[in-house]
Amino acid sequence: MPPRRNAGLYVSSASVTDALFAELVQVFDTAQDFPEFPPWSGFIHPVPDSEWALGEQPAEIYARHRQTRFPEYLAKPVVVLDEQTARDKSVLVLSPLLTDDGVFVLHGVRFDARKVPGAAVNLSIGNQGLDDYYDIQFKGFETVDGEGSRI
C-alpha cells in the first residue's frame, strides 16, 4: 500500500498564536464526525518551511502549494489558518471546483475546526466538492477572490 499523503496546513496570519495553532491541530487529530470511524490523526499536516505563507492571500497559498508540495502532499484540499481564524477559530478550506465551462475555479469555505478532518477526507477522494458544503457550514460559501481564481 502506498504511503498516505496528507492535506497541507498553512498559517497566513501572525495573529494565529502558537497556542491556537496547537489547539487546532489537536482538534484536527481527534475530531470524529461519526463515532464508528476513528479520527484521522495527522491527516491535516503542517507543511514544513511554510513561513512564506504569512501575509499571503489564499489563492497564492494554494497556487504555491500545488507548484511546490504536490505530490508530496495532496493537491486538494489546502487548510489555512488566517486572521479570521485568530478571531473566531473558524478554518478556511480551499479546493478547486469545476465550472460548467470546464474551468477550475478556486473556492474556500470556512468550517468549524471539528468538521475540517471529515470534509478534508471527502474532498481529497473526490467524494464531495466544496459546493456540497454550501448550506451546512456556519460561514457559508465563497470564492477566494470574489470571482474565483483560474488554476
Side-chain angles (χ1 to χ4, degrees), residues 62 68 72 79 115 135:
Y62 184 82
T68 64
E72 175 188 4
V79 180
K115 297 297 183 184
D135 290 328

Side-chain angles (χ1 to χ4, degrees), residues 62-137:
Y62 184 82
R64 189 161 171 187
H65 173 82
R66 290 271 317 221
Q67 292 167 355
T68 64
R69 292 299 184 162
F70 178 78
E72 175 188 4
Y73 283 81
L74 293 167
K76 66 177 177 95
V78 169
V79 180
V80 179
L81 307 181
D82 59 5
E83 190 67 33
Q84 188 165 334
T85 304
R87 288 193 303 271
D88 65 11
K89 297 185 182 181
S90 66
V91 178
L92 182 61
V93 176
L94 305 173
S95 187
L97 290 173
L98 186 62
T99 67
D100 292 339
D101 299 331
V103 175
F104 281 103
V105 177
L106 182 61
H107 285 262
V109 174
R110 300 201 76 80
F111 285 82
D112 179 299
R114 295 167 299 185
K115 297 297 183 184
V116 172
V121 169
N122 283 323
L123 291 166
S124 72
I125 63 174
N127 191 37
Q128 292 179 302
L130 278 180
D131 53 339
D132 293 315
Y133 293 98
Y134 176 69
D135 290 328
I136 61 173
Q137 295 310 314

Side-chain angles (χ1 to χ4, degrees), residues 3 6 11 13 15-16 24 26 30 38 40 45 47 51 53-54 56 59 74 76-77 83 95 103 105 124 127 136 145:
N6 298 315
V11 176
S13 171
S15 297
V16 176
L24 292 173
Q26 176 70 18
T30 59
W40 282 75
H45 189 266
V47 176
E51 296 81 13
L54 283 173
E56 294 292 341
L74 293 167
K76 66 177 177 95
E83 190 67 33
S95 187
V103 175
V105 177
S124 72
N127 191 37
I136 61 173
D145 64 7

